[in-house]
Every structure is written in structure tokens, then in C-alpha cells.
Amino acid sequence: MKPAGKTAPGTDAQTAPKTAGDGGRARRRLPRVDGLRGRLLVTVVVVALISAVTATALAYRESREAVLKRAQNAAVDDFRSRVEQLVPELDVPTDPRSMARFASKVSSGMRGSLVVVQYRDFTVGSDPSADRTRITPELRVAVRAHTQVSLQRVLYAGKPWLVLGAPVGLGSPSGPGASAHSSGVEIFAVVSLAEEERDTAELVRSVQGGLVPVLLLAAVLALLAARTVLRPVRRLARATRRLATGELSIRVEEKGHDELAELAHTFNETAGTLEHTVGELREQEALARRFVADVSHELRTPLAAMTMVSSVLEEDADQLTPDTAHAARTVSAETAKLARLVDDLIEISRFDARAVSLTVHELDLAEAIRATLAARGWTDQVEADLHPGIRARLDRRRLDVIVANLVGNALRHGAPPVTVTVRAADGWLTLSVADHGPGLPPEAARHVFDRFYKADRARARSEGSGLGMAIALENARLHGGTIEIEPQAPGTGAVFTLRLPLRTDSAS
Amino acid sequence: MPHVLLIEDDMSVRDGMELVLRRHGHEVDAVATGEDGLQLLSRPRGGGIEIAVVDLMLPGIDGFEVCRRIRGRGQLPIIMLTSRGDDLDVVSGLEAGADDYVVKPITGRVLEARIRAALRRAGPVTQTDSDDFAGLVVDRAGLTVTKHGTPVPLPPTELRLLLELSASPGRVFSREQLLDLVWEHDFLGDSRLVDAAVGRLRAKLEDVPAKPRYIQTVRGFGYRFGPL
């Protein structure tokens, strides 16, 4: 009992300092066996179980031994004194009747144990009906070999018995074991150990009764311990997730001085550094963007004046000398190109600054695309396969920009015929622009949406600003759509496919 | 020849535009500030000015305010000149009463086309009757609109829009059709012009502009006049 009692508080002592707060939340959720909490719970319960069982087993063995020893000693003393007291009444050689008397006298002094007296071929018991098989041959041999009281513990009918045996000595009043020579009489006593067994069994039962609360307590303590460990871990996990989603100002509480607090501190430091670095990068990026936007805007005013004046020059070119006319036309053309580049730069810097919004209207797609083609004089060069009756809620101006860029690109870099196909299915509209040129080399396909990317370096100074495809993609994304390059099939040119939801919300 | 008031603070742009406009046969009053422009307009009969081209970014009172003050005193067509195509600028300008907008840089040819379209809107309309729509009287000969006997002064674009819509009550016009009919844009137009003009018309004609009776929206298609 003692070691068992020591073990259970020992478990307490290990876990108690870590437990703080109530176990209310711990009980609410079922612990997962594969989780940290489950593992801790199982470990603590198993450790508690092993300690309790080991302690109980040791205590049981010790106490059982002590109880039996005491009972045994008492029985031996009793037996010896009883026999000594009664031996003088026994005459040797003896007859069965006096043997029976002797046996019952010894028995009556020993809480009614079964006493068996043996002399030569006679065996007489205090209870003639009792089964004498409890007196084993080994004991009989031992009794014959020793003058002392021999004893043996046997199990009979599921119950423990103590069997004592001794030769009865002659001419010696000191009784069994002290005689000089054997009288030939052997006396055996069978004593029940049931009461002692009951006592020790009671001990086991009481330990068993205590085991369940101890295990429950261990489980609760394990849950509490897990909670104190897991709560900060869970908080950290949550904070990490939020950090990953871009919430860089997130910090966790640094409580105490343990490893978890250290971890929290490291997390906070990391988040702080990250926030600082990202903040700096964003600031630099914002500055760069603002610079582009400002430069573009500043360019607009001189360009406005130049566009005006150069259009006058161009109109009068016919009346100028050939060289001057060429100069005038070049200035006019380059001014127009510059104006388009500045327009595109302003447009893209607006996307970068997220200062764009959609103005959606319900419109007929076939009609809108025909208008786009007509406005740019492309109707004759482009084959339009426009499914009639497709209506969509889109920003018409932005759709125009996308289609104009895709078709313009196909006309510039591909080869005729250029085909525009529009279909609608499952709430999405699909617009494909295909040409019959050589198609895009893989390198170009990867970068075609990059700003200022020009597939053909030799024609770097082509008509486009180099921003058209990037702007088209931004406009598609603004609608929640995409532009993709179809994998190239042999014999066809590049195929760009625009996918837009048929209904776009007004919000940008 | 049409007489243009040009309000533009940048000297080079102003000179370039003046040059282009004069070459197209316009008489031009070019000024650098909104105050100067408004002063020119305050001469007797507006100094003969038929159309104003107003830059939005001006020192002193800005282009929006200039639009508002011109609208406050008359029906002069206004084209606003914006250096930024930002939606907010365009919408604010249109709401302040501009009839059209052009984004700088612009070629002389486009500016000229826009001016001619705006002037045509202000010119005579070849219909000669007068219609009474439940108290709203549209006099196509006199180009006046009265509501329950009270005159409703309308700038040319709005008047033209009302005339086109009310010529066929119940017919649905798409924004593109209206752009073509009223603004005479033979290039891809901007439906914001139509929406802004409809908004201004409703504010003047309807009893409850949020629940219009005369100019109704047909969702997904456009606008129609009535049915009353």
C-alpha cells in the first residue's frame, strides 16, 4: 500500500505545477489520439497505470507474505503447544480410538482445524469425513525426515490451506521435534488460511478501487498539462496562418520564461522583421509606381501640345519640300506613338495603384465585338464567328481594350486569316482569337503578358507600346477572368483565349 | 464661323489648340484661367461664343466649377478637356454639366469632330410639332420644354437626347444608338456620356428622379421614353 500511495502523488507532483486554469475547454473537445494532446494523455495514463500496478503488485506480495507468515507462525505455535500438552496422554503403541481422541483434542484447541494422526497403518482424523488429500506425500516425507514441525501451503477446492505435520517424540515431554527417537506417531493439522487470504484480497480490491480515480485524475492532469502547452502552440499556429495571409502586424503574447515563450518571442521578432522589410519594399514599390504615374501625367501636357502642332504639320506636309515633309510626318507619327505609350503607362499604373473600377452594363457581345472591330477598321481583316444572342454584364470599355489588344496582336505578329470566336457556357464566356502565323515559341508564350516584352527583338520598335497584352490581362482579371494561350496545335498559329464570367459585379 | 472659348492653363497646349482651331476656321478666345473665361462669357450675348472647351485642371476655380457656372447661366455646349482619363474625373465633369469630354493628348482632327458634333446638337432640329406628355410639353419647333407651364431650360445635349427619345415613345434605345444619334460618335463611344446626360435630364424633368416616369431604364438594353 505504501509504495502505491507514493506513486500516485508522484504523478501529481510532475504535472501539477504546469496546470493552471480550468479543464473546461479540455473536456469539451475529444482529444485526437494522433495529436499532441492525445499522445500526452495516453502517455500519462499509461505511466500512471504502470506505476500503480507495479506498486500494488509489490505491496500485495509483501503484505500477503507478512500476513501468511504471521498466521503460519501462530498456527505452528498453537500446534506445538497443543501437541506438547496432550502428548503425555497418548500411549505408544496406541490404538485407533485413543488416536481419535487425541486428534479431536488437538483439533478442539486449534479453532476446529482438521487434525490427522497416523500410526503405522492407522490413520485417524478429528473429522472422519474430511478429505485427507490436503496432506501431500512431500509433507509426509518431510515429516519423516525432520523432527521439527514441517509445513506446507496447499490450494484445495480453490482455497488456501496451511498443512502442518510433526512426528510425535517419545519419552520427551517437550513434544514434537524435541524427542530423541521417533514414536512412530505422526500428527498433521490442516488450518484454513481463508481469512488471511480474504484480508489480502481485500487489500487488492481496495487498491483496484483506488486505481480508477487515480487514472482519471492522471487523465485530467494530462489534459490540463496538454492544454497549457497546446494553447500557446495553437495561438502561434493561428498567428502564423494570419501572418501568411498578409496580416504582418500580428503578434503573440510572450508569457513566462519557458521554451514556448521563447518560441513566441522568436515568432514576434520574425513577424516584426518581415513587417519592416515588407513595409520598406511596399514603400519603394509605391514610390516607383507613383514616379511612373507622375512622369506619365507630366508627359501628357507637352504631348498634348505636340500632338496638336504635329497634326498641323502633317496636314501641310504636301506643301513642304520632300525632306521637310518627311520630317513632319515622322514627328507626327512618333508623337502619336509616344502618346499611346503614355496612355498605356498611365493605364497600367492605375492598375498597379488599384485605382481601377468596373462600369458594367448588360450588352450584346456580338454587337460589342463588331463595334470594336469596326472602330479600328479591322472588319475586313478579321473573320468573326460570333454566336448571336450572347448577353453579358461587362465593362464595355475594358472589353474593347482586351479585344482590341488580342486582335491587334494577332494582326501584327500573326498571319491572316485572324478568327474571333465567341461562345458562352456555364456562366462563362469564351472568346478565342486565332491567327495562322508561325505561332509563339515557348519562350515567347511564357513572357507574352510581361510588360514591354517583345517577341521579336529585331522589331523592338513596332507599333505597340509593349504594354497592350499586360493591360489586356489586367482588364480580364478585373472582371474575374483570365487570358490564356492555347497549347499550339500543328498547322495553326497562336490562339489566345479570354475567359470572363458572364456576370461581373460593379465593384472593382 | 463658330466662336470657341478655350480655357487651358498650359501655354503650349493653348497655343497648339488655338492654332488648330483657327486653321479649322474657328474664331478663338483662348484664356488661361476659369475666371478669365467666365468674364468673357459675361459680355453682352456671351461675346458671341458658341462653345466652350474647358480644361479640368485649372489654377483658381477648377474646370468642374467653370462647367457648373456656365450651366448656371445658359445652354452653351461644353467639351471638357481632361489630362487624366480617370473615371472619377470623367464622371464628375459630366455631372457638372459637360456635354462631352476628350482626353489629352488629342489630335486636331478629333477635337474638331467633337466640336462640330456638339454644335450640331445645339443647332436647329428638323421636326416641327409639339407634343404633350402628361404635362411635359416638348416644343420641337421652338426647341423649348415646359413642365406644367413652367419652362425647363435644357442644354443642347440634354435637349437633343429628350427630342430623340420622345420622338418614338415606348421604343427602347441602346446606349450605343443614343451615342450615335445624339453625340454623333462614329467611333466607339462611352456609355458614361449617355448615363450622365440621362441622370441630368431626370433631375430636371422627373418628379421623383429615383423613380423615373418619362425616361425609363430597360435593364440590359438601354432607355426608353414612357410609356406614361
Side-chain angles (χ1 to χ4, degrees):
Chain A
M1 194 67 212
K2 222 177 161 197
K6 225 176 178 177
T7 311
T11 318
D12 278 351
Q14 277 168 16
T15 50
K18 286 187 195 160
T19 57
D22 61 334
R25 255 171 59 123
R27 249 176 275 131
R28 217 183 302 148
R29 245 173 289 165
L30 270 176
R32 271 174 48 205
V33 181
D34 58 340
L36 196 53
R37 185 210 291 259
R39 290 208 302 263
L40 194 60
L41 180 68
V42 168
T43 309
V44 169
V45 169
V46 165
V47 165
L49 187 67
I50 288 172
S51 335
V53 166
T54 311
T56 309
L58 287 172
Y60 171 71
R61 208 180 64 188
E62 289 300 317
S63 57
R64 183 168 179 270
E65 217 38 54
V67 165
L68 289 180
K69 201 74 148 218
R70 203 165 55 233
Q72 210 165 280
N73 288 346
V76 168
D77 286 350
D78 238 11
F79 181 57
R80 186 186 284 139
S81 65
R82 200 66 198 147
V83 171
E84 271 171 19
Q85 194 186 326
L86 293 170
V87 143
E89 292 176 21
L90 188 69
D91 297 320
V92 181
T94 181
D95 58 283
R97 188 177 304 169
S98 54
M99 278 164 70
R101 201 165 48 241
F102 179 63
S104 66
K105 272 183 182 166
V106 172
S107 168
S108 69
M110 288 183 70
R111 286 184 289 139
S113 318
L114 169 68
V115 174
V116 176
V117 178
Q118 193 169 347
Y119 177 66
R120 291 191 186 155
D121 294 334
F122 308 117
T123 304
V124 177
S126 58
D127 179 358
S129 64
D131 183 359
R132 288 169 204 150
T133 55
R134 277 167 279 187
I135 303 161
T136 59
E138 295 99 306
L139 188 67
R140 290 179 199 275
V141 170
V143 165
R144 248 166 243 146
H146 299 98
T147 54
Q148 299 283 331
V149 175
S150 297
L151 50 91
Q152 190 186 26
R153 256 182 253 152
V154 295
L155 263 181
Y156 175 75
K159 285 186 176 127
W161 302 87
L162 180 66
V163 187
L164 308 164
V168 177
L170 271 187
S172 162
S174 53
S179 62
H181 64 277
S182 173
S183 63
V185 177
E186 287 163 3
I187 182 160
F188 297 92
V190 179
V191 182
S192 170
L193 285 177
E195 203 172 316
E196 285 72 17
E197 190 69 25
R198 229 179 359 260
D199 286 351
T200 48
E202 193 62 43
L203 174 72
V204 171
R205 254 196 306 283
S206 72
V207 168
Q208 274 173 348
L211 203 57
V212 173
V214 162
L215 289 183
L216 282 178
L217 185 68
V220 168
L221 289 175
L223 286 176
L224 287 176
R227 187 171 138 73
T228 55
V229 176
L230 286 181
R231 201 165 37 181
V233 168
R234 210 171 282 145
R235 233 185 351 242
L236 263 173
R238 214 164 26 229
T240 311
R241 266 199 299 277
R242 284 166 70 179
L243 189 71
T245 59
E247 204 180 316
L248 299 178
S249 59
I250 188 90
R251 298 287 183 276
V252 293
E253 199 184 341
E254 296 171 30
K255 213 163 52 183
H257 301 283
D258 55 7
E259 289 83 348
L260 282 170
E262 209 174 293
L263 184 59
H265 181 70
T266 312
F267 175 88
N268 286 346
E269 268 185 348
T270 310
T273 315
L274 196 60
E275 187 179 21
H276 181 70
T277 312
V278 170
E280 266 184 352
L281 283 174
R282 279 187 186 154
E283 212 168 290
Q284 282 169 11
E285 202 189 348
L287 277 175
R289 280 176 182 167
R290 207 174 310 137
F291 179 74
V292 170
D294 288 349
V295 166
S296 309
H297 279 303
E298 287 306 314
L299 282 175
R300 268 218 165 142
T301 307
L303 264 177
M306 283 165 69
T307 307
M308 280 289 165
V309 178
S310 68
S311 66
V312 173
L313 277 179
E314 202 187 3
E315 279 170 28
D316 289 356
D318 292 346
Q319 296 142 44
L320 302 171
T321 62
D323 279 359
T324 320
H326 179 71
R329 289 201 180 96
T330 308
V331 165
S332 183
E334 291 301 309
T335 307
K337 220 178 276 180
L338 194 55
R340 193 161 50 232
L341 172 62
V342 167
D343 264 351
D344 284 354
L345 272 174
I346 289 175
E347 183 73 4
I348 206 115
S349 64
R350 231 181 265 143
F351 276 109
D352 286 349
R354 302 212 161 75
V356 284
S357 58
L358 286 174
T359 314
V360 297
H361 287 301
E362 175 122 8
L363 49 93
D364 185 293
L365 269 176
E367 191 186 300
I369 288 159
R370 258 185 226 113
T372 294
L373 297 178
R376 287 167 183 78
W378 290 339
T379 311
D380 296 338
Q381 303 168 62
V382 177
E383 209 173 282
D385 175 9
L386 309 173
H387 213 76
I390 301 175
R391 302 190 69 80
R393 274 182 72 75
L394 298 171
D395 188 319
R396 188 193 169 94
R397 209 156 47 93
R398 297 192 182 280
L399 176 72
D400 175 65
V401 169
I402 300 172
V403 175
N405 274 302
L406 289 179
V407 175
N409 209 45
L411 288 172
R412 260 200 306 281
H413 301 295
V418 171
T419 330
V420 179
T421 315
V422 177
R423 294 286 181 269
D426 304 327
W428 286 80
L429 92 88
T430 314
L431 185 150
S432 295
V433 178
D435 66 58
H436 286 78
L440 284 160
E443 172 70 9
R446 245 195 317 282
H447 296 290
V448 74
F449 294 108
D450 291 357
R451 293 169 189 189
F452 297 115
Y453 181 78
K454 302 236 168 107
D456 188 351
R457 289 278 157 196
R459 287 191 307 171
R461 300 270 306 125
S462 69
E463 289 170 67
S465 66
L467 289 168
M469 293 304 271
I471 289 174
L473 182 61
E474 293 283 4
N475 275 310
R477 284 187 183 152
L478 195 61
H479 281 89
T482 55
I483 303 176
E484 280 156 9
I485 306 167
E486 298 291 311
Q488 190 149 1
T492 62
V495 181
F496 286 84
T497 300
L498 164 75
R499 280 172 59 77
L500 295 181
L502 280 173
R503 321 227 135 237
T504 311
D505 292 328
S506 277
S508 57
Chain B
M1 273 291 115
H3 192 158
V4 181
L5 169 64
L6 172 64
I7 308 177
E8 162 66 59
D9 60 319
D10 186 90
M11 198 183 71
S12 302
V13 179
R14 194 170 63 237
D15 287 352
M17 291 181 89
E18 199 179 342
L19 173 65
V20 167
L21 290 171
R22 282 192 199 289
R23 281 175 65 93
H24 282 97
H26 299 284
E27 201 177 316
V28 183
D29 277 316
V31 294
T33 64
E35 287 87 343
D36 289 351
L38 290 169
Q39 204 186 340
L40 284 183
L41 283 174
S42 65
R43 291 174 301 185
R45 294 189 313 282
I49 290 166
E50 290 158 80
I51 186 164
V53 178
V54 183
D55 185 19
L56 278 180
M57 302 281 281
L58 289 172
I61 60 167
D62 63 16
F64 305 112
E65 185 57 29
V66 173
C67 276
R68 234 168 269 130
R69 291 199 193 173
I70 294 175
R71 273 290 157 265
R73 73 170 80 181
Q75 315 295 307
L76 190 73
I78 305 168
I79 294 175
M80 68 182 203
L81 199 55
T82 165
S83 60
R84 314 191 301 217
D86 289 356
D87 290 358
L88 193 65
D89 279 359
V90 171
V91 172
S92 308
L94 292 175
E95 278 171 0
D99 294 284
D100 200 353
Y101 74 91
V102 290
V103 179
K104 286 194 278 187
I106 184 175
T107 63
R109 221 173 299 132
V110 174
L111 178 63
E112 174 60 18
R114 294 284 184 103
I115 287 175
R116 293 232 170 255
L119 286 172
R120 268 197 299 275
R121 251 170 276 157
V125 181
T126 53
Q127 287 159 312
T128 50
D129 37 0
S130 161
D131 287 312
D132 186 337
F133 304 100
L136 181 75
V137 178
V138 180
D139 180 353
R140 297 179 191 282
L143 291 180
T144 55
V145 176
T146 54
K147 195 177 174 201
H148 305 301
T150 317
V152 182
L154 291 177
T157 303
E158 289 160 44
L159 180 63
R160 184 95 179 196
L161 180 63
L162 179 62
L163 290 177
E164 295 289 354
L165 281 170
S166 63
S168 356
R171 182 188 153 189
V172 177
F173 293 86
S174 73
R175 288 179 178 79
E176 285 67 37
Q177 283 172 317
L178 290 171
L179 264 177
D180 194 36
L181 285 169
V182 179
W183 281 266
E184 298 179 42
H185 282 184
D186 54 352
F187 45 88
L188 188 81
D190 193 325
S191 55
R192 284 175 300 184
L193 287 169
V194 184
D195 293 341
V198 167
R200 294 198 304 265
L201 253 184
R202 278 176 178 162
K204 288 165 194 167
L205 300 181
E206 305 284 354
D207 299 318
V208 187
K211 282 188 177 173
R213 283 174 66 219
Y214 297 113
I215 302 173
Q216 299 173 359
T217 305
V218 182
R219 226 180 117 80
F221 291 91
Y223 298 103
R224 72 169 173 234
F225 191 85
L228 296 168

